[in-house]
Amino acid sequence: MAKQARAVATRQQIVSAAAATFDRLGFERASLGEIVEASSGLTKGALYFHFKSKDDLAQAVVDRQHTISIAAVEAIATTDASALEQIVMLCHEMGRQIVEDPIVRAGIRLTLEFSAGTTPGKPGPYQDWIEACRHLVETAIAEGDLLPTIEPPVLARFVISAFTGVQTVSNVLDRRADLEQRIDQMWQFLLPGIVTPDRRPDSDRIRLARWIRDPALA
Amino acid sequence: MAKQARAVATRQQIVSAAAATFDRLGFERASLGEIVEASSGLTKGALYFHFKSKDDLAQAVVDRQHTISIAAVEAIATTDASALEQIVMLCHEMGRQIVEDPIVRAGIRLTLEFSAGTTPGKPGPYQDWIEACRHLVETAIAEGDLLPTIEPPVLARFVISAFTGVQTVSNVLDRRADLEQRIDQMWQFLLPGIVTPDRRPDSDRIRLARWIRDPALA
């Protein structure tokens, strides 16, 4: 049992080192040697024991990122915020994860790199986020916050797309230093066009909704 | 003179071959050998005569993409469309360029790749587009189409960011087959929140504004 726990810890250590390396160098330039170097104290043998190839490692990083994303969605769902506030919270939480968590950054970079070529892209994080957002849009319409004419999959896709572009351009132009502010501006422009007339006076309050993580989980 | 014209043509041929290769493989995996192969009939000697390195070639592709972007902005400015319609036209034209022109796709891919690492990104296409859009937002406010409370640089930045994400996610999930429709949906959600109350009834007409290129220039 202790042996198994050690194996899990080693595997996690490898995935973290791989994520840091993919985040820094991208898939092509990252070598298994670099990944071993990025992990403190691992050997190439240990790495090969757990993962067959660089592709395998990349998949493990993307899977881990998926788990992190879903955990945030589920945690936000347990708050008593309205579904529309939860969408705003989710965008800010995705922004925080990208800024603070190399596994999330690496997952996004790998997804982009795999889809930049001519082979069909792996949906990766986008599909997760769109699906979570679609579900919240449906609830927000039922709660009378979003216009009933909105098609949930279409708005969900646009929210995640707009978020993706906001974080991409923020990275290119400002190394994401202004990301939180740019996400806030996105909602400033978007909310007035999608909320019901009843909720328009509440737009500023909705825009400022934030999820505060339990510090015990940080 | 004929010699100079031939040199210009050769240079353009090299830049096109480089763009096709960068678009397909990305900067890291693209080799000068691949680029020579992608150009029909060029030699490695001709390539080295015009460009010192792969970095040089990448810069030439990004510069060429800049020229193409600016030309579209200037052509759209000569139409008698309102500034707000020109912003819509510009987004659809950027979308068309990304789908149809490997130089534009390569320019965007290189800009993203150069900015994905830890070195500060080259602003590249984003800065051009934001600047063109900012100018149009200012005019659209003066023309009474956009709300006077809007800060032009902030909306311009968001429009280009949202467009960037729409095309990125469309590429990852649908190889950009649905890009035009996704750009249209973006304006469907965005326009009601940014136009003046007077213009709200015209939203659908504004959304459908398209620039038809002079077929002689195609």
Side-chain angles (χ1 to χ4, degrees):
Chain A
M1 201 48 193
K3 202 170 158 190
Q4 211 183 341
R6 209 159 50 237
V8 169
T10 304
R11 217 187 123 89
Q12 282 195 352
Q13 195 186 343
I14 298 171
V15 172
S16 293
T21 311
F22 289 136
D23 176 35
R24 195 163 56 86
L25 299 174
F27 183 78
E28 284 304 324
R29 283 168 63 210
S31 67
L32 293 180
E34 294 265 7
I35 293 168
V36 168
E37 236 171 85
S39 73
S40 34
L42 275 179
T43 62
K44 227 168 187 164
L47 194 147
Y48 278 115
F49 179 78
H50 288 275
F51 296 95
K52 278 198 296 286
S53 65
K54 198 164 78 165
D55 286 83
D56 247 28
L57 267 168
Q59 192 54 54
V61 169
V62 170
D63 290 348
R64 186 75 190 285
Q65 198 250 310
H66 173 90
T67 308
I68 295 170
S69 288
I70 295 301
V73 170
E74 286 173 356
I76 288 171
T78 66
T79 65
D80 54 6
S82 68
L84 181 54
E85 287 169 324
Q86 289 186 23
I87 298 172
V88 173
M89 288 174 171
L90 187 63
C91 283
H92 281 283
E93 172 59 12
M94 294 187 304
R96 187 201 63 75
Q97 287 181 1
I98 289 172
V99 169
E100 293 179 13
D101 193 332
I103 292 180
V104 173
R105 273 200 306 279
I108 289 175
R109 181 167 182 173
L110 290 170
T111 300
L112 268 177
E113 289 184 355
F114 291 145
S115 63
T118 43
T119 48
K122 302 190 184 189
Y126 303 113
Q127 209 73 287
D128 291 345
W129 289 337
I130 291 169
E131 189 48 29
C133 188
R134 184 190 59 73
H135 182 76
L136 290 171
V137 169
E138 280 169 5
T139 310
I141 292 171
E143 290 176 349
D145 287 343
L146 288 178
L147 291 167
T149 48
I150 287 172
E151 293 174 69
V154 177
L155 178 59
R157 167 84 175 243
F158 177 64
V159 166
I160 300 308
S161 297
F163 167 81
T164 296
V166 164
Q167 78 85 2
T168 302
V169 175
S170 168
N171 184 33
V172 173
L173 300 182
D174 300 287
R175 312 309 294 158
R176 299 199 182 97
D178 62 353
L179 182 55
E180 192 184 348
Q181 185 195 3
R182 298 295 174 184
I183 296 172
D184 186 52
Q185 290 168 348
M186 159 180 160
W187 286 110
Q188 228 168 307
F189 292 123
L190 194 52
L191 278 178
I194 61 175
V195 295
T196 55
D198 281 3
R199 289 303 182 277
R200 218 161 281 167
D202 298 329
S203 288
D204 281 343
R205 190 185 49 71
I206 295 166
R207 224 186 74 214
L208 294 174
R210 296 289 182 280
W211 176 55
I212 310 297
R213 279 182 309 159
D214 182 341
L217 301 172
Chain B
M1 203 45 195
K3 202 170 159 189
Q4 211 182 339
R6 209 159 50 236
V8 169
T10 304
R11 219 188 120 89
Q12 282 194 353
Q13 196 187 342
I14 298 170
V15 172
S16 294
T21 310
F22 288 136
D23 176 34
R24 193 163 58 86
L25 299 174
F27 183 79
E28 285 304 324
R29 283 168 62 208
S31 67
L32 293 180
E34 293 265 7
I35 292 169
V36 167
E37 236 171 83
S39 72
S40 34
L42 273 180
T43 62
K44 227 168 186 165
L47 194 148
Y48 279 115
F49 179 78
H50 288 276
F51 295 96
K52 278 198 296 285
S53 64
K54 199 164 80 166
D55 286 84
D56 247 30
L57 266 168
Q59 192 54 53
V61 170
V62 170
D63 290 348
R64 185 74 191 286
Q65 198 251 309
H66 173 91
T67 308
I68 294 169
S69 288
I70 296 300
V73 170
E74 285 173 356
I76 289 171
T78 66
T79 65
D80 53 8
S82 69
L84 182 53
E85 287 170 324
Q86 289 186 23
I87 298 173
V88 174
M89 289 174 171
L90 187 63
C91 284
H92 281 283
E93 172 60 13
M94 293 187 303
R96 188 201 62 76
Q97 287 181 1
I98 289 172
V99 169
E100 294 181 11
D101 193 332
I103 292 179
V104 172
R105 273 201 306 277
I108 288 175
R109 180 166 184 174
L110 290 170
T111 300
L112 268 177
E113 289 185 353
F114 290 145
S115 63
T118 44
T119 49
K122 302 191 183 188
Y126 303 112
Q127 208 73 287
D128 291 348
W129 289 336
I130 292 169
E131 188 51 27
C133 188
R134 184 190 59 73
H135 183 75
L136 289 170
V137 170
E138 280 169 5
T139 310
I141 293 171
E143 289 175 350
D145 288 343
L146 289 178
L147 291 168
T149 47
I150 287 171
E151 294 174 70
V154 177
L155 178 58
R157 169 83 175 245
F158 176 64
V159 166
I160 301 306
S161 297
F163 167 81
T164 297
V166 165
Q167 77 85 2
T168 302
V169 176
S170 167
N171 184 34
V172 173
L173 299 184
D174 301 288
R175 311 310 294 158
R176 299 199 182 96
D178 62 353
L179 182 55
E180 191 182 348
Q181 185 195 3
R182 297 296 175 184
I183 296 172
D184 186 53
Q185 290 168 349
M186 159 180 160
W187 286 110
Q188 229 168 308
F189 292 123
L190 193 53
L191 278 177
I194 61 174
V195 295
T196 55
D198 282 3
R199 289 304 182 277
R200 219 161 279 167
D202 299 328
S203 288
D204 282 342
R205 189 184 50 70
I206 295 167
R207 224 186 74 212
L208 294 173
R210 295 290 182 280
W211 176 55
I212 311 296
R213 278 183 311 159
D214 183 340
L217 301 173

